[in-house]
Amino acid sequence: MITRDDAQLMDVLQGGCCFYCGEPAGAKATFDHVVPQAYGGVNEPGNVVLAHRRCNQLKGDRLPTPEEVERFLAQRRGSRLGVWPPVAALKGIGDEDEAWIAVARAIAGLPRG
């Protein structure tokens, strides 16, 4: 679950900007799941960024690009929001098929709660 405090910290970490386009996000920012929920992504701060509704829709159910993974990891370094392990598993993987396999393995390795 993402709290109001989590959203405020995301806003600060992202410099008040949409994660995808870099333009000011404003009060109407939406939550986007870095690893889409359709593929097992969780609704926790370590898997969520702030994005414009349009940017969120354009991303759809794709995994983040290698550049987006690096930016996400850099923004979250040392933050209490953390990084969900399957997102971290994407570091250094550029091939989309390999990325899905890495995410699936990381999700499978997580303890069941």
Side-chain angles (χ1 to χ4, degrees):
M1 175 192 243
I2 300 158
T3 67
R4 179 182 301 248
D5 288 344
D6 295 335
Q8 288 175 340
L9 183 51
M10 278 180 221
D11 188 50
V12 169
L13 293 172
Q14 292 179 213
C17 296
C18 171
F19 183 78
Y20 298 105
C21 74
E23 295 296 319
K28 293 187 178 182
T30 63
F31 293 127
D32 182 66
H33 298 86
V34 179
V35 172
Q37 288 183 302
Y39 297 100
V42 295
N43 192 34
E44 295 179 4
N47 186 45
V48 173
V49 294
L50 296 177
H52 293 120
R53 181 172 309 283
R54 179 80 174 134
C55 292
N56 190 336
Q57 291 170 338
L58 288 171
K59 177 186 173 265
D61 285 339
R62 73 164 172 80
L63 285 177
T65 66
E67 295 79 18
E68 290 166 346
V69 171
E70 289 297 326
R71 188 163 16 99
F72 181 78
L73 295 175
Q75 286 179 355
R76 297 301 173 93
R77 192 170 291 125
S79 165
R80 72 165 177 79
L81 295 176
V83 174
W84 189 50
V87 177
L90 292 170
K91 183 176 179 164
I93 298 176
D95 179 81
E96 189 174 350
D97 290 336
E98 289 178 29
W100 284 115
I101 292 167
V103 166
R105 285 183 178 151
I107 291 172
L110 291 174
R112 301 281 181 219

